[in-house]
Amino acid sequence: MELLERQSQLGALHDYAAEARAGEGRLVLIGGEAGVGKSSLVDELERSERSSVRWYLGACDGLFTPRALGPLRDIAGQTGGALAELMGAGAGRDSLFTALLEHLSSSRSVLVVEDVHWADEATLDLLSYLGRRLRGLPVLVLVTYRDDEVQANDPLRITLGELSAQRATRRISLPPLSPRSVERLARAAGLVGEELFRLTGGNPFLVTETLASGDVAVAPSVRDAVLARVGRLDERGRRCAGVAALMGARVELELLAAVSPDLGEALDDLVTAGLLVVHEQHPRFRHELLRLAVEQDVPAYRRRDIHIRLLAVLEARPESDAARLAHHAEGAGDAAAVLRHAPRAGEQAARLGAHREATLQYARATRFCADAAPSDAADLHDRLAVEQSLADAWAEAADSAETARRLWQQQGDLRREGATLAFLSQVMWRLCRPEEQAYAAHAVTVLEPLGDTPELAAALSVLAWSCRNVGDRVGALVQADRAGELAERLGLPTVLAESLVTRAVVTDSTDDLRRALDVALTAEAHEQAGRAYGFLQTTMTGRRDFASADRWFREGTPYCDDHDIATWASCLRAHHAATRLEQGDLRAAGDLSRRVLALRVISPENRMAPLVTLGVVVARQGDHQAAARLLDEAAENAERSGLPGWLLEALVPRAEARWLAGDDDGARADLVLAAPARDSYGGWEAGALEAWARRVGLPPVEPARTFPEPYELLLGGQEIAAADAFDEAGCPYAAGLAWYDAGGEPELRRALERFAELGATAAAGRTRQALRDRGAQGIPAGPRADTRANAAGLTSRETEVLEHVALGLTNEEIAARLVISPRTVDHHVSSVLGKLGARTRGAAADRAPRLGLLS
């Protein structure tokens, strides 16, 4: 079928290719539903550009658990040279990423990565790596994905969002065909176009398949359309199609000949039938939808037999990929083969930072370990737990680790049992469960009789952290020093880094944190480096040194993303949102918090900060019901953990939210509950507790304590000076509260002006009421209700207009749909652009999804 209604998209691709050839590298995200023609668009560009550039193609395979860096493996086979040598040698991802970029930048290159909706995490990290480094390079990167399969909590969505923020990134969206084009195609085939469009929705793949069948009597499914093609093959062709489908997207001729020698000639029939196409002498399915439909139609008994034969041939090849072997081993029902290959695939994925794929491989192995030796089964569950924790799946990690602990105990292996107990302590902390310290203490008790071992050093470090969490500062320092001394003596940089972080957090020492970071980076201890970055950021935020906090966020986030440390990447983003909240940027704080909470897997501990931040944001914006829901969850997690610091972190913000909603009694109750935890946090947090107690009429919590200057001034009755000090510290909302506390009419008007500037409508509402109580006249009114509820301050009609702008409609078309005049639409569009800070309609359409403004 000819390429219809794709000239604007193809023209844009040619423009981006020209820019790349000129040295302005581009990464183009090409999205659309399955079958909409993404690969066809890329193929069309290749036909015109191939002669002037080096062209490389890698694809993510939907057949089995993704190989870590599967597309890069494909590309290495095409580039040869250093990249291929590093891949063959099992090099680390940093070396592989660097080698790819060096190869691409050496001359004009196009890199195509298809079907990234199936990508492993390491491949997503590779795309992020390239997106940040294309500027000034003669490189065009084309990325295709199904935008209808990207869920809100999918890691791909996060990657797409981050890539979209890069200057080199461009986006192309492919819509279905219009009724006019479908009518044109149908008329050429002697069919009714209106009916064809109704049945296919304009999807080019379904249109093509329906036209090939010549029948529009019933609505086609992909499976029905494909099987109609397969049904026209003879028996040998159908068997060949089944074997090819179980191989994957690319059909390997040598593998097919080895598995089924009698089927080789049938490949021509598959090409003739339109199931396969030949690309550079390599047959592949014309579309993944075709392959999936054929695979699903292979009977179960025949599928198992094919897997058995594929496994036998692939195992004889020393270069066969472990993930592929594990897939076929499971399909063959061969437990021994699964246990040979799945753990190896998990190790490879973990080494490359693809922890989600490592988790899937170890989980596959544990499903087949019923007859394995207990020690082997325990080891698999330990490995699975570690990978689950790195993917921030802590509840699952707890189950896996508990299974491992039980098996080690049954075997009488105290060393491994103690190590797993220490790990479980960390898991309990992440899950906000009070068993944290009991597990840590039990681990040390089990391990101490074995002497000075690495496991004991690690357990002591974990015990130190659990002491810190329950407010035992002395115990934390004693155990941290024991762990650090033993770690240095035994050469354990990861344990040393962890013990230094604990000591630093207890003593508020940035020197120890910097040393911990240096130790971790030197040892390539990625998780410990992420932890050091996280606490450097929060320490600086706690001191209200926002510039330094932002520095550690900017350094730490790409490091954690590049090394797939999801737990600490989430922490960094969540605490960056908290920093933005302190700086009065409600929109950024809310947007960042929502992104963290939308992650597919996130531990209760990692939910705490974004729950609190978002709860405060919506409370200040006046959505009291949403604020209660968010902050109640945070408070429940804090209470369940039994950790005093978390109680302070959750209850003081909930007290503010209740005060903003007019529930002063509820606010007082929360502050009374939070008071015993005042020693668990630094001066700023304790100062906030004292200030809120004063604001709602409670007696001082800790009168003798010294607080940071703004709070000393505020609590000493110097509210105006306190407001200036808060502004000097970069805390404009706290400054507004200080003006509010001053209580005079001029000060209340200053507070009202400040809250209005920040979009803190609930605080503005309380301030208006205070002014009315004083008998003030001429009080400025607040924004309209529909504007107040919108993150960008748009009215409901402006939001409606923005949605139509995002669809690419002109003012005249929008006017016709909304039954208003084009001049009125023009006014709304101008207002929308101003409120979004966008210079063009396209820029407004790009920003709208990030602000959650589109339905």
Side-chain angles (χ1 to χ4, degrees), residues 350-696:
R351 187 178 67 251
L352 293 171
H355 298 296
R356 182 176 51 168
E357 285 64 43
T359 294
L360 293 172
Q361 293 295 353
Y362 285 128
R364 167 183 277 153
T366 60
R367 292 195 298 270
F368 285 83
C369 70
D371 296 326
S375 58
D376 291 340
D379 184 64
L380 285 172
H381 281 92
D382 262 342
R383 296 194 204 186
L384 174 59
V386 169
E387 294 305 315
Q388 287 167 329
S389 73
L390 292 173
D392 216 11
W394 292 93
E396 294 82 355
D399 292 339
S400 300
E402 182 54 38
T403 299
R405 185 206 62 78
R406 187 175 62 253
L407 290 168
W408 291 126
Q409 185 182 54
Q410 291 170 0
Q411 293 295 298
D413 191 329
L414 296 178
R415 183 179 63 85
R416 295 298 297 269
E417 180 190 358
T420 304
L421 283 165
F423 176 78
L424 276 164
S425 174
Q426 297 173 298
V427 173
M428 294 303 110
W429 173 55
R430 288 288 176 185
L431 292 176
C432 303
R433 285 168 52 179
E435 304 98 304
E436 174 198 353
Q437 192 170 33
Y439 272 116
H442 189 192
V444 172
T445 299
V446 168
L447 290 166
E448 278 185 322
L450 304 180
D452 290 346
T453 63
E455 291 77 15
L456 177 60
L460 288 168
S461 178
V462 171
L463 180 58
W465 184 250
S466 69
C467 288
R468 174 263 178 192
N469 289 337
V470 298
D472 180 4
R473 293 170 178 257
V474 173
L477 290 175
V478 168
Q479 303 302 342
D481 288 344
R482 285 183 67 193
E485 184 276 327
L486 190 53
E488 289 199 276
R489 184 150 46 88
L490 298 179
L492 306 172
T494 58
V495 177
L496 176 59
E498 289 174 352
S499 65
L500 285 168
V501 167
T502 300
R503 165 168 275 284
V505 172
V506 172
T507 60
D508 195 33
S509 166
T510 53
D511 289 341
D512 280 337
L513 281 173
R514 289 172 184 268
R515 185 184 170 205
L517 180 61
D518 289 342
V519 169
L521 292 175
T522 300
E524 296 186 356
H526 304 314
E527 183 182 3
Q528 287 71 27
R531 187 169 185 246
Y533 274 124
F535 280 104
L536 279 164
Q537 176 200 30
T538 55
T539 296
M540 293 307 173
T541 298
R543 297 177 181 179
R544 300 310 186 261
D545 182 354
F546 298 127
S548 295
D550 283 352
R551 171 202 164 185
W552 295 117
F553 169 76
R554 289 193 301 272
E555 285 188 24
T557 304
Y559 179 90
C560 291
D561 287 341
D562 286 347
H563 295 91
D564 198 22
I565 310 300
T567 292
W568 289 105
S570 299
C571 287
L572 284 158
R573 289 188 170 91
H575 288 291
H576 188 57
T579 300
R580 289 289 171 263
L581 178 65
E582 289 293 338
Q583 294 175 298
D585 191 342
L586 297 184
R587 184 184 301 174
D591 187 43
L592 286 164
S593 297
R594 289 185 182 95
R595 285 178 59 190
V596 175
L597 291 170
L599 295 175
R600 183 177 57 179
V601 181
I602 181 172
S603 68
E605 191 276 337
N606 266 8
R607 285 181 64 83
M608 281 289 291
L611 281 171
V612 169
T613 299
L614 185 57
V616 172
V617 166
V618 297
R620 292 178 184 176
Q621 291 173 333
D623 190 344
H624 303 303
Q625 186 175 6
R629 184 177 65 254
L630 293 161
L631 293 169
D632 284 350
E633 181 184 340
E636 288 167 7
N637 283 344
E639 290 165 7
R640 185 169 60 250
S641 75
L643 300 178
W646 285 7
L647 287 170
L648 191 68
E649 184 178 329
L651 293 177
V652 174
R654 191 170 71 173
E656 178 190 344
R658 288 178 166 175
W659 178 80
L660 290 170
D663 181 9
D664 288 19
D665 289 340
R668 281 189 282 269
D670 275 343
L671 293 169
V672 169
L673 290 173
R678 60 188 179 274
D679 291 333
S680 299
Y681 269 86
W684 285 90
E685 290 76 13
L689 170 64
E690 202 76 53
W692 277 106
R694 177 177 183 262
R695 197 165 290 129
V696 300

Side-chain angles (χ1 to χ4, degrees), residues 247-321:
M247 283 185 191
R250 293 177 62 182
V251 181
E252 298 180 39
L253 299 179
E254 292 182 5
L255 183 57
L256 178 65
V259 171
S260 301
D262 61 320
L263 298 182
E265 295 180 3
L267 275 177
D268 291 341
D269 297 335
L270 271 61
V271 174
T272 302
L275 292 171
L276 301 182
V277 294
V278 179
H279 185 267
E280 294 188 346
Q281 300 181 340
H282 294 292
R284 60 180 173 87
F285 277 88
R286 184 167 58 83
H287 198 284
E288 178 64 11
L289 292 173
L290 287 166
R291 191 199 65 76
L292 288 171
V294 174
E295 179 196 357
Q296 292 164 5
D297 194 53
V298 178
Y301 70 90
R302 185 175 295 169
R303 188 179 305 153
R304 181 172 182 272
D305 176 67
I306 295 172
H307 279 302
I308 289 172
R309 286 185 282 144
L310 286 169
L311 177 63
V313 175
L314 290 171
E315 281 193 317
R317 297 179 174 181
E319 75 281 3
S320 290
D321 179 71

